[in-house]
Each structure stands twice: as structure tokens, then as C-alpha cells.
Amino acid sequence: MKYFDLHFHPTTKSFLSDENIRLKKSPWKTMTVLGIDNIFGDILDSQSSLSQILKGNVVLGVATIVPMEIGFAKSGLIRKVIPIISPLDRDFVTKIKDGKFSYWELFNGELHFLKKSLEGQSRVKILNSIGEIDESRINLILGIEGGHSFMGGKGPLKNLVDLKKSKHNFLYITLTHLTDIGENYLANHAYGQKLINELEFIPGRYALSKLGKEFIGLCYDRAKGNPILIDIKHMSLRARQEFYKLRKEKNYNDP
């Protein structure tokens, strides 16, 4: 039996294992944290290393990039405790907390790390169209989790235009994620992280921002490059309702 997986993170944990790309753990390595699985339910272990994907007979899947949010990096649990029992690099996480890297830098860093990890091997390929699929290999489509990924650099709209014209196509962008990222937010998020008691995880603000509406329109705009779908996961109910209304008003039904 062969499988399709719509959303997994083959590089998230390995990318955070060291700031230096040459010292990062391989995304092929399945990392296991022993002794506390009964507390956290395996969430600290590798859940989608490339070795696990290969073993699971996934022929086609969406490899999703998600920069660590400052809200996570600020948490004492993530910054101080988890690095003791896992390969997470405490210094790297502290720099993320202190804003030493923009989200755009982290996104591009993880994307580069994924591509670098696949060089010189034949088991995995990144697709730009479904016509390129090779069922003897793991075929990856790229996705992005969280509009915060575009914060920094030239700004979210210009960063998005650059991405749409880049070498690789992206299937979808999850418009928001698990924290309030500040005034440049795109959409209000649903309350999805209850293990960490920090203010950033509490939903606030309005549903869709003006910037968010422009961002959505740019995702669908073929004149600006390859269209990218909007994934509604993590959006609040109100944000989803406003998104559906916007799609209807702007005739975004066929991107």
C-alpha cells in the first residue's frame, strides 16, 4: 500500500538541532526522547523524519516549512527544559527568542537545509508539478505553515512575490499558526496550544487584517507568479468566515 500525506514536517526538529547548518542533525535521522513519552505523548520525538516517511510507504507528501514562533522560544519549557532531553539547540532557540533572526530568515534557512539534505541522493525529489511524480521515490510538494514565515526581509507582500517567482512551487500557505505575532498579523488564530501558558498563544485582534486580505489576493494572482492555495487550518472561526466571504466577493474560487 502506498500513501499520500497532506502535511508533515521532515526538517523542523533537525533544523532546530544546531544553528550551524553543517552541525544540524540529518532529517533522515529519527530522534527519540526517552523517559517522558507518557507525559508528552511522543510529540518531542521525530514524527516525520525522512526515514519514517520512507518506512511508511509515503510516495507523495507535502513537506511543510514552519519557522519557530517567538512565543514558543520564550517559553521556559521549550528554551530551558526541552534542550536537556532532546537535540534542540538551546542557544539557537534563545537567539530566536531575542529576535536575532527574522521569521523570513528562519523560513529560508529551513528551506535551504531541506534542499541541501537531499543533494546527491536519489530517494527523494521535490516536485513542481504532479506530472513529475516518480512512484519509486518519495515525492515532496512544498507547503508553508504560518503567514509569520513572511515577516522580515522586504516585508510580507514583497517576500511573497519573490517566493512565487522562485524555482520551486508551493501548494499552500497556512495563513496563521499558533501565536499572535503582532501588528503585522494576517489573520486571527484559533486557540490551539494549551500546553504553554503564554499571552502570545491567546487569540486576539480582528479576524482578517487589511494586510491579510492583500496577501490572500497576491497568493491567488497568477500575474505575480504561480498561484498558492490558502490553508484554513489554525484560523479562527471568524477568520474563516471572512475568508469565505472574501473568496466569493473576489471570485477566488478557481485559483
Side-chain angles (χ1 to χ4, degrees), residues 136-181:
S136 67
R137 305 162 74 178
I138 300 173
N139 299 269
L140 299 182
I141 305 169
L142 298 176
I144 304 165
E145 187 165 26
H148 68 286
S149 304
F150 294 85
M151 304 304 165
K154 300 175 184 177
L157 298 180
K158 290 183 179 179
N159 290 340
L160 177 58
V161 170
D162 288 345
L163 188 78
K164 282 165 64 74
K165 294 180 178 178
S166 66
K167 177 181 178 181
H168 295 294
N169 294 340
F170 289 79
L171 179 62
Y172 61 69
I173 295 170
T174 309
L175 202 61
T176 187
H177 198 221
L178 293 167
T179 65
D180 185 336
I181 63 168

Side-chain angles (χ1 to χ4, degrees), residues 90-180:
R90 177 183 295 179
D91 291 338
F92 191 17
V93 174
T94 298
K95 288 183 178 181
I96 294 173
K97 173 189 75 73
D98 293 339
K100 300 296 184 182
F101 307 97
S102 70
Y103 288 132
W104 183 240
E105 288 176 305
L106 292 172
F107 166 78
N108 281 285
E110 186 175 346
L111 178 60
H112 174 69
F113 173 59
L114 172 61
K115 293 190 290 185
K116 194 75 175 174
S117 300
L118 301 181
E119 289 180 354
Q121 58 78 46
S122 59
R123 291 174 291 179
V124 183
K125 66 182 294 188
I126 297 176
L127 305 183
N128 276 322
S129 71
I130 198 64
E132 299 175 358
I133 192 169
D134 179 351
E135 293 194 17
S136 67
R137 305 162 74 178
I138 300 173
N139 299 269
L140 299 182
I141 305 169
L142 298 176
I144 304 165
E145 187 165 26
H148 68 286
S149 304
F150 294 85
M151 304 304 165
K154 300 175 184 177
L157 298 180
K158 290 183 179 179
N159 290 340
L160 177 58
V161 170
D162 288 345
L163 188 78
K164 282 165 64 74
K165 294 180 178 178
S166 66
K167 177 181 178 181
H168 295 294
N169 294 340
F170 289 79
L171 179 62
Y172 61 69
I173 295 170
T174 309
L175 202 61
T176 187
H177 198 221
L178 293 167
T179 65
D180 185 336

Side-chain angles (χ1 to χ4, degrees), residues 5 13 18 51 72 75 91-92 112 132 170 201 212 246 248:
D5 193 321
K13 290 183 172 67
D18 204 285
S51 296
F72 280 99
S75 166
D91 291 338
F92 191 17
H112 174 69
E132 299 175 358
F170 289 79
F201 293 91
L246 182 68
K248 186 175 180 180

Side-chain angles (χ1 to χ4, degrees), residues 35-242:
I36 60 169
D37 284 352
N38 59 327
I39 299 175
F40 292 100
D42 299 326
I43 63 175
L44 300 179
D45 297 341
S46 290
Q47 298 166 301
S48 55
S49 69
L50 290 173
S51 296
Q52 289 171 311
I53 298 301
L54 186 65
K55 184 178 180 180
N57 293 323
V58 175
V59 172
L60 179 63
V62 183
T64 311
I65 307 295
V66 53
M68 173 178 273
E69 289 150 274
I70 291 175
F72 280 99
K74 286 174 61 177
S75 166
L77 175 67
I78 299 294
R79 186 165 45 88
K80 297 178 180 180
V81 178
I82 300 304
I84 298 174
I85 56 176
S86 78
L88 196 71
D89 182 358
R90 177 183 295 179
D91 291 338
F92 191 17
V93 174
T94 298
K95 288 183 178 181
I96 294 173
K97 173 189 75 73
D98 293 339
K100 300 296 184 182
F101 307 97
S102 70
Y103 288 132
W104 183 240
E105 288 176 305
L106 292 172
F107 166 78
N108 281 285
E110 186 175 346
L111 178 60
H112 174 69
F113 173 59
L114 172 61
K115 293 190 290 185
K116 194 75 175 174
S117 300
L118 301 181
E119 289 180 354
Q121 58 78 46
S122 59
R123 291 174 291 179
V124 183
K125 66 182 294 188
I126 297 176
L127 305 183
N128 276 322
S129 71
I130 198 64
E132 299 175 358
I133 192 169
D134 179 351
E135 293 194 17
S136 67
R137 305 162 74 178
I138 300 173
N139 299 269
L140 299 182
I141 305 169
L142 298 176
I144 304 165
E145 187 165 26
H148 68 286
S149 304
F150 294 85
M151 304 304 165
K154 300 175 184 177
L157 298 180
K158 290 183 179 179
N159 290 340
L160 177 58
V161 170
D162 288 345
L163 188 78
K164 282 165 64 74
K165 294 180 178 178
S166 66
K167 177 181 178 181
H168 295 294
N169 294 340
F170 289 79
L171 179 62
Y172 61 69
I173 295 170
T174 309
L175 202 61
T176 187
H177 198 221
L178 293 167
T179 65
D180 185 336
I181 63 168
E183 294 300 322
N184 287 326
Y185 79 106
L186 304 178
N188 187 20
H189 66 287
Y191 188 23
Q193 174 54 264
K194 300 177 178 66
L195 288 176
I196 302 173
N197 185 23
E198 301 286 351
L199 183 62
E200 288 87 352
F201 293 91
I202 308 300
R205 308 182 186 278
Y206 296 102
L208 283 185
S209 68
K210 180 178 182 292
L211 177 62
K213 293 177 181 179
E214 291 182 71
F215 189 90
I216 291 167
L218 189 54
C219 283
Y220 288 143
D221 190 348
R222 289 182 178 272
K224 299 294 186 180
N226 295 310
I228 306 176
L229 299 175
I230 299 296
D231 175 24
I232 63 172
K233 184 180 180 183
H234 295 298
M235 290 169 67
S236 68
L237 173 60
R238 182 63 182 271
R240 295 182 191 206
Q241 291 172 332
E242 290 192 5

